[in-house]
Amino acid sequence: MFLYARIHVLFKGGDKLRRNLDLDEKEEMKELLWNWGQAMERYRWKEAALQKLEAAYEAEKKNWEQEKAEKSEKEMERAKAEYGIETEKLRREMAWILREKAKMDAMIGRLTMDEEMFVKLRFEKGYGFDYISVKMHLSRATLFRMQNRVLRKMLLCSRKDETMLRPYEMRKEVC
């Protein structure tokens, strides 16, 4: 009966289409996990860029005060407005990174300890399956099954919880 059902699915095509959609969603979720793993690093980059921008603005402001006669008020106001726009953009991007990380943390918090450890080693630290299998004392095949299980759980979690965005919706959100 089971074999017949599998052949029927292959020829029928209905479930095959759904499985392909699930694969696309799993790939999107995997991409979101990679983004989650790099979120704090991206946040630190944005923070460093903001500090450099602030330092450059302060240095330019001191120059303006010394050479006030040479600079026009209009030029100083334009530079101040550009600085304000750039800093606001960086701050919005930083807040967006933290919001998305918090959403993913909530989803990851619902996983078992082993699954959570796998997610952190794989997506946050970026380790390969060979190293993780040695570290967790599991076979590579078990880790691949665990990864599929984690992706399925996270997709179900994002579908059930209305505060969680689906992967394709997270991508559309603009800073």
Side-chain angles (χ1 to χ4, degrees):
M1 181 67 179
F2 179 75
L3 181 63
Y4 175 76
R6 288 183 73 138
I7 292 172
H8 180 69
V9 167
L10 289 175
F11 287 109
K12 182 86 172 174
D15 285 341
K16 191 173 183 181
L17 179 64
R18 192 181 67 76
R19 285 184 187 178
N20 287 341
L21 290 176
D22 287 345
L23 289 176
D24 292 341
E25 287 180 333
K26 282 182 183 179
E27 288 300 316
E28 288 184 25
M29 185 59 75
K30 202 183 299 184
E31 187 177 326
L32 287 173
L33 281 168
W34 283 113
N35 289 338
W36 166 81
Q38 303 302 319
M40 290 314 293
E41 189 174 340
R42 286 194 329 264
Y43 182 82
R44 285 189 291 273
W45 290 341
K46 300 282 183 188
E47 195 172 41
L50 184 62
Q51 289 172 353
K52 286 179 186 176
L53 186 63
E54 288 174 351
Y57 178 73
E58 290 301 320
E60 192 64 32
K61 196 174 177 182
K62 286 180 184 178
N63 288 342
W64 289 339
E65 290 172 1
Q66 292 172 357
E67 305 169 1
K68 200 165 196 168
E70 295 176 19
K71 299 267 185 179
S72 69
E73 286 291 321
K74 200 179 226 183
E75 190 177 332
M76 288 182 2
E77 287 299 319
R78 183 186 56 78
K80 192 176 191 179
E82 286 178 9
Y83 166 76
I85 290 170
E86 286 299 314
T87 55
E88 182 61 30
K89 179 182 171 190
L90 282 172
R91 286 193 176 106
R92 276 189 282 126
E93 288 173 0
M94 291 165 64
W96 184 80
I97 288 170
L98 291 178
R99 267 195 322 271
E100 294 304 313
K101 183 172 178 1
K103 289 176 187 176
M104 292 300 286
D105 284 339
M107 289 170 61
I108 291 168
R110 295 178 180 175
L111 301 174
T112 65
M113 263 180 42
D114 285 341
E115 292 168 344
E116 190 172 340
M117 183 178 176
F118 168 76
V119 166
K120 288 184 179 180
L121 289 173
R122 178 73 179 139
F123 297 103
E124 190 172 32
K125 304 264 186 194
Y127 295 141
F129 284 98
D130 292 330
Y131 179 80
I132 298 171
S133 66
V134 170
K135 191 82 170 164
M136 292 181 70
H137 307 290
L138 298 171
S139 69
R140 283 174 49 95
T142 303
L143 289 179
F144 280 107
R145 286 191 297 269
M146 184 182 291
Q147 177 175 327
N148 286 335
R149 186 171 57 244
V150 164
L151 294 174
R152 269 196 322 270
K153 282 183 178 181
M154 291 184 74
L155 281 170
L156 286 174
C157 176
S158 68
R159 288 177 186 158
K160 286 180 184 176
D161 195 351
E162 298 202 7
T163 62
M164 298 290 176
L165 295 174
R166 291 199 174 122
Y168 56 86
E169 291 173 348
M170 285 183 182
R171 234 188 248 191
K172 290 180 183 176
E173 188 174 319
V174 179
C175 295

